[in-house]
C-alpha cells in the first residue's frame, strides 16, 4: 500500500478561484512528482522535485500553476485562477529508486 | 523523447480466458525501467509489475511480463482472467532514477465478464 498522503481528496472551486492541494511523500523518498490525469484518463506530467529543488517542469499553463516542496512541510500544487479545463485528478507520487508510488489523488472540480 | 505505445484501448474478455495487453516503448537509453500499473475505478494507479532486466520474466498476483529490449516490448499476460481484473492498465517507462520522469502509455481498459 502506498504511503503517499494527498489532501484533500476532493476539491470544488469556482472559476477564477485558487485551488491548493498538498502531498506528503513516502518517508525517505527524495523525489516527488505531480501528474494530472484528465477525464480521458491520460497522464500529463507537471513537475518533479528532488528534495526541495525543481528537476523538470512543463510550461505550466500561463504560469497559473505553481508547486513547491519545502523542507519539513508538505509539498503543494496550487492553481492561481482555476479554469473549467483544470478539472482532473491530480496525482502526487514519490520515489526512492526506480519505482514510483502514487497517492490517492486530489480530484478537482471547477464549476 | 521517451514514449510508450499501448495499441488496445479496450479489451473485453470472458472470465477464465487468457489476458494479453500489448506494450512497446521508445527510448534512447539502454537500461530503461518498465512498469505496469493497474488503476481500478475511483482509485489511484498501483504498481503491478516492474522490470529492469532483459529477457527475465517478472510475476506478481498472477500477472507476468518479460522485458524484451530487442523488440522494445513489455507485454502483460495472465493465464486466466478474473472478474476482479477489470480495470485500467498502464504500461510505463522510466529511463533512469532520480530526475527521470515516468512516461505513461495511453492505457488499456480490461473488462472481464462472466
Amino acid at each position: 500500500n502506498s504511503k503517499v498522503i494527498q489532501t484533500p481528496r476532493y476539491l470544488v472551486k469556482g472559476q477564477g478561484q485558487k485551488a491548493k492541494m498538498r502531498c506528503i511523500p513516502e518517508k525517505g523518498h527524495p523525489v516527488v512528482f505531480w501528474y494530472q490525469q484528465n477525464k480521458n484518463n491520460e497522464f500529463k506530467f507537471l513537475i518533479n522535485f528532488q528534495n526541495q529543488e525543481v528537476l523538470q517542469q512543463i510550461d505550466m499553463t500561463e504560469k497559473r500553476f505553481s508547486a513547491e516542496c519545502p523542507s519539513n512541510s508538505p509539498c503543494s500544487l496550487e492553481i492561481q485562477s482555476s479554469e473549467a479545463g483544470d478539472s482532473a485528478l491530480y496525482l502526487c507520487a514519490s520515489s526512492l529508486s526506480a519505482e514510483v508510488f502514487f497517492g490517492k489523488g486530489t480530484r478537482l472540480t471547477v464549476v | 523523447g521517451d514514449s510508450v505505445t499501448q495499441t488496445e484501448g479496450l479489451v473485453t474478455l470472458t472470465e477464465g480466458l487468457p489476458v494479453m495487453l500489448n506494450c512497446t516503448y521508445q527510448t534512447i537509453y539502454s537500461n530503461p525501467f518498465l512498469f505496469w500499473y493497474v488503476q481500478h475505478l475511483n482509485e489511484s494507479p498501483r504498481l503491478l509489475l516492474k522490470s529492469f532486466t532483459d529477457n527475465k520474466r517478472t510475476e506478481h498476483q498472477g500477472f507476468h511480463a518479460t522485458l524484451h529490449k530487442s523488440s522494445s516490448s513489455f507485454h502483460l499476460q495472465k493465464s486466466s482472467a478474473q472478474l476482479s481484473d477489470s480495470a485500467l492498465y498502464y504500461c510505463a517507462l522510466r529511463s533512469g532514477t532520480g530526475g527521470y520522469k515516468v512516461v505513461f502509455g495511453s492505457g488499456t481498459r480490461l473488462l472481464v465478464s462472466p
Side-chain angles (χ1 to χ4, degrees), chain B residues 16-114:
Chain B
L17 289 180
V19 178
M20 179 153 168
L21 306 184
N22 291 315
C23 172
T24 56
Y25 64 90
Q26 283 191 313
T27 180
I28 62 171
Y29 297 96
S30 55
N31 295 304
F33 303 102
L34 272 294
F35 307 96
W36 277 99
Y37 284 86
V38 57
Q39 187 175 22
H40 287 94
L41 191 62
N42 296 322
E43 295 185 5
S44 59
R46 175 175 59 85
L47 183 63
L48 179 61
L49 285 176
K50 62 187 180 190
S51 185
F52 323 132
T53 307
D54 198 11
N55 297 317
K56 182 179 178 182
R57 174 171 161 145
T58 182
E59 298 190 40
H60 186 61
Q61 296 184 334
F63 288 90
H64 63 93
T66 303
L67 174 59
H68 291 296
K69 292 185 180 181
S70 60
S71 57
S72 299
S73 66
F74 190 56
H75 306 317
L76 181 68
Q77 298 182 70
K78 188 178 185 185
S79 59
S80 176
Q82 297 177 285
L83 294 176
S84 58
D85 293 332
S86 295
L88 272 167
Y89 291 81
Y90 292 94
C91 184
L93 162 72
R94 195 176 183 203
S95 291
T97 58
Y100 289 92
K101 64 186 180 188
V102 182
V103 175
F104 288 86
S106 54
T108 297
R109 184 175 295 281
L110 176 64
L111 285 178
V112 182
S113 57

Side-chain angles (χ1 to χ4, degrees), chain A residues 23-92:
Chain A
C23 170
I24 300 175
E26 189 164 336
K27 190 175 181 181
H29 285 195
V31 181
V32 174
F33 303 83
W34 285 99
Y35 283 86
Q36 179 196 64
Q37 188 178 27
N38 64 21
K39 62 181 180 180
N40 295 320
N41 295 309
E42 298 161 331
F43 285 86
K44 179 181 180 180
F45 168 80
L46 296 177
I47 191 168
N48 60 352
F49 294 84
Q50 182 149 347
N51 299 314
Q52 292 80 54
E53 302 298 320
V54 175
L55 295 174
Q56 293 174 288
Q57 63 179 338
I58 63 164
D59 176 22
M60 294 177 92
T61 319
E62 303 170 11
K63 308 299 183 187
R64 292 188 299 111
F65 288 67
S66 60
E68 60 177 4
C69 266
S71 60
N72 302 316
S73 292
C75 298
S76 65
L77 177 68
E78 185 171 55
I79 306 173
Q80 298 300 318
S81 177
S82 302
E83 298 176 355
D86 298 331
S87 295
L89 180 66
Y90 289 84
L91 291 162
C92 177

Side-chain angles (χ1 to χ4, degrees), chain A residues 8-14 17-21 36-37 65 77 79 82-90 105-111:
Chain A
R9 291 290 309 277
Y10 301 92
L11 193 55
V12 180
K13 293 291 178 182
Q17 289 187 317
K18 281 187 188 179
K20 188 168 186 175
M21 53 203 85
Q36 179 196 64
Q37 188 178 27
F65 288 67
L77 177 68
I79 306 173
S82 302
E83 298 176 355
D86 298 331
S87 295
L89 180 66
Y90 289 84
T106 293
R107 185 166 296 282
L108 172 66
T109 303
V110 181
V111 298

